[in-house]
Amino acid sequence: MKDTFKHRGMRNKLADILLDKGIVDTAVLNAVRAVPRHLFLDSSFEDHAYQDKAFPIGADQTISQPYTVAFQSQLLQVEPNHKVLEIGTGSGYQTAVLLKLKARVYTIERQLELFKKTNLFFKKMGYRPKKVIFGDGYKGLPEEAPFDSIIVTAGAPFVPNPLLAQLKIGGRLVIPVGTDEQIMTLFVRKSAKEFEKKELGSFRFVPLLEDKN
Ligand code: SAH
């Protein structure tokens, strides 16, 4: 598959739809205009890649809906060179959006099959996250902490303490919390012990899997 003028046109329209839905961060909208989402999907979904919908990516997982990716990305308030941890690499689309925002990205995937596939895809496409890790996102990545922000892209039944602990002061954790349905939750670290919490509407994610070991 290639990236063509037609695909770019569809991405511009998608960015307009996201703007209508309340995504106002220009850098995020520009990232949506830039990242060729159709290349992150199975070719049979190519025609649907620029609809504002989630799609299956194998291993029972989905690539998040563009609105959700944009909404979470906007909440992170990424600045160039920020150190960002992503839990749930999946297709790598969210990773690519963070890279477009010029973040230094560390991303963790729990499923070996997806980890391998997406890692290869990053190499093929020339996307360069700092690290792509096969591991358990509940633990975060203590050896690289602290982070400017952490994004969880699967539904967490509870907020894992290690993720809060791995934020810089002023750092932001964006995490959908809940089982059947999730409340998008933002934590901002105010000091070593204080966190400000905001709940920002309901979403639906695949579950953040608990450790199989
Ligand atoms: N950011 C992805 C969204 C994929 S869906 C994208 O843009 O495509 C969520 C992903 O989280 C799935 O790939 C799933 O395998 C992964 N996941 C689930 N539980 C996890 C865990 N405990 N640690 C890391 N990744 C996990």
Side-chain angles (χ1 to χ4, degrees), residues 40 57-59 61-64 69 86-95 108-111 114 133 135-138 153-155 205-211:
F40 292 73
I57 52 172
Q61 300 305 320
T62 54
I63 178 172
S64 302
V69 171
E86 178 190 26
I87 311 295
T89 315
S91 70
Y93 178 71
Q94 173 74 71
T95 318
I108 306 179
E109 173 56 53
R110 183 76 189 87
Q111 301 206 58
L114 271 176
I133 296 134
D136 179 14
Y138 278 92
T153 71
F205 285 80
V206 293
L208 188 66
L209 306 169
E210 300 205 45
D211 216 332

Side-chain angles (χ1 to χ4, degrees), residues 118-210:
T118 302
N119 208 8
L120 273 178
F121 175 74
F122 285 148
K123 295 207 165 84
K124 192 177 109 195
M125 296 287 291
Y127 287 118
R128 290 173 188 267
K130 288 284 171 197
K131 281 189 185 164
V132 184
I133 296 134
F134 170 56
D136 179 14
Y138 278 92
K139 300 189 176 78
L141 197 60
E143 64 272 29
E144 296 290 348
F147 295 95
D148 292 286
S149 59
I150 301 178
I151 174 173
V152 180
T153 71
F158 59 90
V159 181
N161 278 326
L163 301 186
L164 291 169
Q166 290 171 29
L167 287 177
K168 287 184 188 173
I169 307 294
R172 303 162 78 82
L173 167 64
V174 175
I175 180 168
V177 185
T179 42
D180 293 343
E181 203 181 62
Q182 292 82 29
I183 306 292
M184 191 64 75
T185 312
L186 167 68
F187 290 90
V188 182
R189 187 168 205 170
K190 293 294 180 186
S191 68
K193 289 188 177 156
E194 290 162 291
F195 294 86
E196 180 186 273
K197 177 182 173 184
K198 280 192 189 150
E199 296 188 333
L200 298 151
S202 56
F203 289 79
R204 249 174 225 281
F205 285 80
V206 293
L208 188 66
L209 306 169
E210 300 205 45

